[in-house]
Amino acid sequence: MKAFLALAVSWALAYSVQAQELAKGKVYLDVNKNGKLDKNERGIGAVAVSNGRDVVTTDKDGNYQLPVGSDNIIFVIKPSGYSMPLDENNHPKFYYIHKPNGSPASKYQAVAATGKVPAAINFALYQQAEDPNFSAFVFGDPQAYTEEELAFFKNGVINEISDKSIAKFGISLGDLVGDDLSLQPKYKSVISTMGLPWYNVMGNHDMNYDAKSDSLSDESFEHTFGPNNYAFNYGNTHFIVLDDIIYPNPRTGKGYLGGFRKDQLDFVENDLRNVAKDKLIVLAFHIPLYHENSDIFRNEDRQRLFDILAPFKHTLSLSAHTHFQRQYFYGQKDGWKQEKPHHEYNVGTTSGDWYSGELNEKGIPVSTMRDGTPKGYAILKIQGNQYSFDYKVVGKPAAYQIDLYSASVIPEKYTKRYPIYANFFIGKEGDKVRYRVNQGEWKDMDYVRENDPAFLNSLAKYDTANDLKTTRRPSNPEKSSHLWMVNLPKLKAGNYQIEVQAIDLFNRTHTATKTIDVR
């Protein structure tokens, strides 16, 4: 009897292996760039390919095979020294969607039935030189709710970038649109005018809200952009893009929760097995990992991610979502297992404060964020496995990194009652920020956690208006994490130049000046 049972189990196992569908194909060097595997084109070995969970590497001839089910996207993980074909919107063509029955019925556009897995799913690559020192654009939340707001994004951000060639590619950190998923292809067309390969993160406003499970909340995103969990290499840097929104919220059944499914973290773990420990690992997702409130991000998911990253000494996370700008540092008390903290840059947004506020000279909302950070974008700069970044305010010179707020005309009798505030956009608590008057002695300014007074002033124009304001009222303020202040010293009548100097976390010095008239 035991022998019969053992034989039955072995038959069942053999049958399950045979019945399992496999995606097979080749990663090859497309010499003539025609998108077809020609007889004279060779395969490329040791390239990673994934089904969204498992990760395999091609053999010496470029061949791979992966198991697939009823809802998989097969994609190649671009190796360093190669580029991928681009579609008409400069979107990398690195994936094949396998949904034999298509997406579930939805009011949103999604994936049509793809049928059986093809006999071969091949991926073309082109050779390209890649300097390990390079830059990339990082956009937080374009988040256009309407075509008018898409035009604000194009005319107010993209068209303002005069030299797009300074970067090799770009990343948008989610909330590409604002709930109207029919705008996703239009966003894709707009972002293509950057003229660069562009990678997109899924945000909570990019989801199918009629989905019954988290694994199906990305169907429209997948239709337009492909996988929402994937990776690629450039130079000596490995990028991992993740969807960190769980919908519906498993705790309440309503809304969403920050976190990761097990299969997503399995993908990260499997992916990083093929990555050298000395590489820089850059993660891009939408909702910050910050865990002051566990109702916002699931602690156990962040902990497993930190456990997976533990062997890697050079890491960085990029997030958006909040519509303010902040630097987070995770230490051992947060579950990070290295002596050097893990840095997460919560990037300011290209939509600013949701396209709110007064219009500028081009008819585009100023849209300063609620912590006083002006609308803008980041430029990630990588040197080997080290990084730095700049925050570029839209429509301002690159040197504009500090906003000074104070009265311009002050009575001599009361100068000590007047404060000057410095909003250092990429600053953080502990940075050294100083001021001096008429090139005198440098003195420290005080770090404060307050509402930015310039933002409060712009908000007051709406809240005390005597005439109808037809533009969108800015949001209520958020206490800034990068604000310093000091009261002016006693000054006699005359003109004074106030100079502020700030040193950032990369030991670079930034300055700003303001002239005041004491009478």
Side-chain angles (χ1 to χ4, degrees), residues 246-459:
I246 301 174
Y247 177 83
N249 186 334
R251 295 173 179 171
T252 64
K254 299 178 181 179
Y256 59 85
L257 176 67
F260 305 104
R261 298 189 309 269
K262 181 180 182 300
D263 61 283
Q264 295 175 279
L265 292 170
D266 288 347
F267 163 67
V268 176
E269 185 170 17
N270 293 332
D271 169 51
L272 287 177
R273 288 195 178 107
N274 302 307
V275 178
K277 300 298 187 292
D278 63 344
K279 280 185 177 285
L280 172 63
I281 310 300
V282 177
L283 298 105
F285 38 77
H286 183 62
I287 298 177
L289 300 173
Y290 186 56
H291 68 291
E292 187 175 73
N293 184 347
S294 64
D295 291 335
I296 295 173
F297 203 97
R298 202 158 59 182
N299 291 342
E300 57 266 32
D301 300 343
R302 181 183 51 256
Q303 186 58 62
R304 186 181 170 200
L305 179 65
F306 283 178
D307 291 346
I308 294 168
L309 292 171
F312 295 87
K313 301 300 183 184
H314 309 288
T315 61
L316 169 69
S317 287
L318 302 170
S319 62
H321 182 62
T322 61
H323 294 260
F324 50 75
Q325 186 153 250
R326 187 171 292 178
Q327 313 298 332
Y328 296 115
F329 292 89
Y330 302 95
Q332 294 181 3
K333 65 180 176 58
D334 307 302
W336 184 248
K337 297 188 173 181
Q338 298 180 27
E339 185 175 345
K340 179 184 176 183
H342 175 67
H343 179 201
E344 178 184 350
Y345 177 23
N346 187 223
V347 182
T349 60
T350 52
S351 60
D353 183 55
W354 294 276
Y355 302 104
S356 67
E358 297 181 314
L359 304 182
N360 64 15
E361 65 281 358
K362 295 183 179 180
I364 297 168
V366 173
S367 201
T368 299
M369 284 171 269
R370 51 208 170 109
D371 67 342
T373 304
K375 178 174 64 179
Y377 54 91
I379 303 171
L380 176 63
K381 297 182 174 182
I382 291 176
Q383 300 274 323
N385 60 11
Q386 303 297 308
Y387 69 89
S388 63
F389 50 78
D390 295 323
Y391 183 72
K392 176 64 172 65
V393 174
V394 170
K396 295 287 188 180
Y400 179 55
Q401 297 292 313
I402 307 169
D403 181 65
L404 300 184
Y405 180 88
S406 74
S408 295
V409 181
I410 298 173
E412 178 181 3
K413 186 177 180 180
Y414 299 117
T415 58
K416 294 177 70 175
R417 283 180 171 265
Y418 281 78
I420 182 166
Y421 282 84
N423 192 326
F424 179 32
F425 308 135
I426 64 169
K428 59 174 178 57
E429 185 174 4
D431 287 346
K432 190 172 186 62
V433 179
R434 306 185 297 172
Y435 83 105
R436 66 181 179 181
V437 180
N438 283 352
Q439 297 187 330
E441 179 186 357
W442 286 106
K443 296 182 179 179
D444 290 338
M445 298 184 73
D446 297 320
Y447 176 81
V448 293
R449 287 300 299 267
E450 298 178 9
N451 296 323
D452 178 76
F455 182 80
L456 292 177
N457 190 42
S458 67
L459 192 58

